[in-house]
Amino acid sequence: MKTSQETVGRNSTTIAGFILLGFSDITSLQHLFFSVFLVTLAGNLLIIVLTLADPALHTPMYFFLRNLSFLEMCYTSVNIPKMLRNLLSGDKTISFIGCAVQTYFTFFLGGSECFLLASMAYDRYVAICKPLHYPVVMNRKVSTGLAAGSWLSGFLMSFGHTSMVFTLPFCRSHEINHFFCDIPPLLKLACGDTSHNEMALFMVALFFVTFPFVLILMSYVRIISTILRMSSGAGRRKSFSTCSSHLMVVTLFFGSACIMYLKPNSSYSPDTDKFLSLSYTVITPMLNPIIYSLRNKEVKGAFFRMVGRRRFC
């Protein structure tokens, strides 16, 4: 009787590339995705320019926001250009190496964003709950360390996870029912038993999604408790205003990521997964600059000051 390893070895083939099915049945989306791509790049670039150019925004809060905007620009650039090329040309192929690179950067940036959002929550916690200690606690060294740690955590997680998946033998169809090389649909194409890989994916998602989310939740419990004890109505409104933007982004990003990577395999649905993935890879990066600029008087003030200076030059 043949062992399962012998069977896998016989049936497995070397795959030169994959086919990303994406949204091939909805070709009219190309104009929408192109507009979203431009809006995302322009909006996040504007946030970066404003927070660099205006000295009033040289604070830890806007340092983290600048990191987030740069990350979102990269995040969008990993997947949308390839998706647009597929829709415009009809060529849905992606090389094996290209697929691995796309998977790596998607998880690298996604993992980094989880901890970057947690760092931003900690910054707001110190600013509101310990305002007198804020300049000391959130100094340049601490802010830089938190941001660097966020990027490094995503780098290490993605490297290990991508290596585990792309060393698997693929013996089934090479069609990926997704618009980018995501790990769950890739595991569906692998030969043999992938339960260890699925468990590893779940454990990594549990740490990189649940752990930062719990930290954010704990921070906001303390923040809301502190705000409610403030005697000044103006102080309460200002504190809520500075936190509401971050809370909206956290809800959008973590909500879709939790449903996507922490749900049981029995509930796997390609179409549902594609639209959930759109939420954190496309919609959230586009909404970030809108949320942070429209609900933030300091950012709007920096924009009008920059426009005013250019008008009188």
Side-chain angles (χ1 to χ4, degrees):
M1 190 178 196
K2 298 180 180 69
T3 63
S4 60
Q5 289 183 342
E6 288 173 339
T7 304
V8 168
R10 179 172 296 179
N11 293 334
S12 62
T13 57
T14 302
I15 291 181
F18 299 94
I19 296 176
L20 293 170
L21 298 181
F23 298 98
S24 54
D25 54 335
I26 319 177
T27 54
S28 58
L29 286 176
Q30 56 187 304
H31 302 295
L32 174 62
F33 286 138
F34 184 71
S35 301
V36 168
F37 183 56
L38 290 181
V39 168
T40 302
L41 291 182
N44 283 290
L45 182 61
L46 179 62
I47 293 289
I48 293 172
V49 171
L50 288 175
T51 56
L52 281 172
D54 197 309
L57 303 184
H58 291 179
T59 63
M61 175 181 170
Y62 294 106
F63 168 73
F64 288 124
L65 180 56
R66 189 159 58 245
N67 271 267
L68 181 64
S69 293
F70 177 70
L71 186 150
E72 299 291 32
M73 289 176 66
C74 296
Y75 210 176
T76 306
S77 301
V78 169
N79 297 319
I80 292 189
K82 178 61 180 173
M83 182 166 51
L84 284 171
R85 178 180 174 274
N86 293 351
L87 287 170
L88 290 169
S89 68
D91 179 12
K92 302 176 180 62
T93 59
I94 184 170
S95 67
F96 186 85
I97 297 298
C99 190
V101 169
Q102 193 181 58
T103 300
Y104 171 77
F105 278 103
T106 299
F107 275 78
F108 163 45
L109 295 167
S112 299
E113 182 163 354
C114 289
F115 280 95
L116 190 59
L117 289 172
S119 299
M120 294 174 75
Y122 177 69
D123 171 73
R124 291 299 82 207
Y125 160 73
V126 178
I128 293 172
C129 299
K130 302 179 183 296
L132 298 179
H133 299 94
Y134 183 73
V136 178
V137 175
M138 292 303 297
N139 55 51
R140 183 185 295 269
K141 184 177 179 180
V142 172
S143 302
T144 304
L146 287 172
S150 300
W151 288 95
L152 182 61
S153 63
F155 171 81
L156 295 175
M157 177 274 291
S158 186
F159 181 79
H161 227 46
T162 305
S163 301
M164 285 178 61
V165 172
F166 284 89
T167 52
L168 289 170
F170 293 93
C171 57
R172 299 172 190 167
S173 167
H174 58 299
E175 293 183 345
I176 302 174
N177 194 1
H178 215 299
F179 62 88
F180 72 95
C181 291
D182 200 6
I183 288 180
L186 278 167
L187 290 177
K188 298 293 180 183
L189 307 182
C191 304
D193 182 17
T194 59
S195 58
H196 294 297
N197 300 84
E198 291 170 358
M199 179 56 68
L201 176 64
F202 178 80
M203 294 305 295
V204 168
L206 195 65
F207 178 75
F208 275 84
V209 176
T210 308
F211 181 63
F213 183 70
V214 169
L215 291 179
I216 292 169
L217 195 62
M218 291 170 60
S219 297
Y220 274 100
V221 167
R222 296 292 301 275
I223 287 169
I224 292 171
S225 175
T226 301
I227 291 174
L228 292 176
R229 290 199 302 269
M230 290 180 177
S231 56
S232 168
R236 284 197 298 271
R237 285 192 296 272
K238 183 179 178 180
S239 298
F240 271 123
S241 176
T242 59
C243 295
S244 59
S245 301
H246 184 248
L247 269 175
M248 291 172 71
V249 173
V250 165
T251 303
L252 281 170
F253 182 78
F254 280 98
S256 55
C258 284
I259 297 171
M260 180 72 189
Y261 293 106
L262 296 178
K263 68 180 186 302
N265 288 332
S266 57
S267 61
Y268 174 77
S269 168
D271 292 334
T272 302
D273 283 3
K274 279 189 281 189
F275 282 100
L276 280 172
S277 297
L278 275 178
S279 177
Y280 64 86
T281 61
V282 177
I283 297 173
T284 303
M286 180 190 68
L287 292 179
N288 274 354
I290 298 172
I291 292 170
Y292 279 108
S293 58
L294 291 180
R295 297 186 61 83
N296 191 305
K297 292 181 180 179
E298 292 177 329
V299 172
K300 287 191 288 187
F303 174 74
F304 289 123
R305 284 194 294 272
M306 184 177 72
V307 172
R309 285 197 299 267
R310 292 188 177 276
R311 182 183 298 174
F312 293 108
C313 284

